[in-house]
């Protein structure tokens, strides 16, 4: 099976920075799209940033120019660098990876357990 483990969340003051990491382990043949989502209490989960296997990126309008998504396939890891954080960025952040576990096997989406990011003075 495949497991995704996130790290890097925490409490930061407005204007500060955090870097989230999400590492995959298990039976992995190849990666496709990766992404970060967030969900605040009482809200729907929303896409924050995504990156394709070719390295093309896509960002929510609310984080453009502040957040950067990157990936390192050799390390089975996707990152989210978050700068100029605002209180409204407070949320639980989840990573998602599309992974095929073997040749000719259809890829499935896997989710991390979530990591809390709190932006407050």
């Amino acid at each position: 099976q495949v497991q995704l483990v996130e790290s890097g969340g925490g409490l930061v003051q407005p204007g500060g920075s955090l870097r989230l990491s999400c590492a995959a382990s298990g039976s992995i043949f190849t990666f496709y799209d990766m992404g970060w989502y967030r969900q605040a209490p009482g809200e729907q989960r929303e896409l924050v940033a995504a990156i394709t296997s070719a390295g093309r990126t896509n960002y929510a309008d609310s984080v453009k120019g502040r957040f950067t998504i990157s990936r390192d396939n050799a390390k089975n890891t996707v990152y989210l660098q978050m700068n100029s954080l605002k209180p409204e960025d407070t949320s639980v952040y989840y990573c998602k990876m599309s992974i095929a576990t073997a040749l000719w096997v259809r890829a499935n989406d896997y989710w991390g357990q979530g990591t809390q990011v709190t932006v407050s003075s």
Side-chain angles (χ1 to χ4, degrees):
Q1 266 296 354
V2 175
Q3 286 189 322
L4 273 57
V5 178
E6 298 153 355
S7 60
L11 173 64
V12 64
Q13 292 186 342
S17 298
L18 283 175
R19 188 193 195 204
L20 305 183
S21 300
C22 173
S25 62
S27 179
I28 297 168
F29 177 72
T30 193
F31 296 95
Y32 294 97
D33 295 351
M34 299 180 179
W36 287 94
Y37 293 71
R38 66 187 181 188
Q39 187 170 21
E43 302 290 333
Q44 289 190 335
R45 192 170 296 187
E46 63 174 357
L47 174 68
V48 175
I51 184 168
T52 69
S53 56
R56 291 188 297 271
T57 58
N58 180 46
Y59 296 93
D61 287 342
S62 59
V63 306
K64 282 181 181 176
R66 300 188 297 124
F67 291 10
T68 302
I69 188 171
S70 60
R71 60 192 284 168
D72 186 338
N73 287 349
K75 295 183 178 180
N76 295 355
T77 300
V78 61
Y79 304 96
L80 185 68
Q81 178 66 43
M82 304 185 294
N83 298 328
S84 302
L85 282 160
K86 304 175 181 180
E88 51 263 43
D89 294 317
T90 295
S91 192
V92 178
Y93 284 71
Y94 300 88
C95 62
K96 186 181 80 169
M97 296 186 185
S98 179
I99 297 171
T101 56
L103 186 63
W104 307 121
V105 173
R106 180 179 178 178
N108 287 317
D109 288 338
Y110 296 87
W111 290 87
Q113 81 284 359
T115 185
Q116 177 70 46
V117 171
T118 302
V119 184
S120 176
S121 55

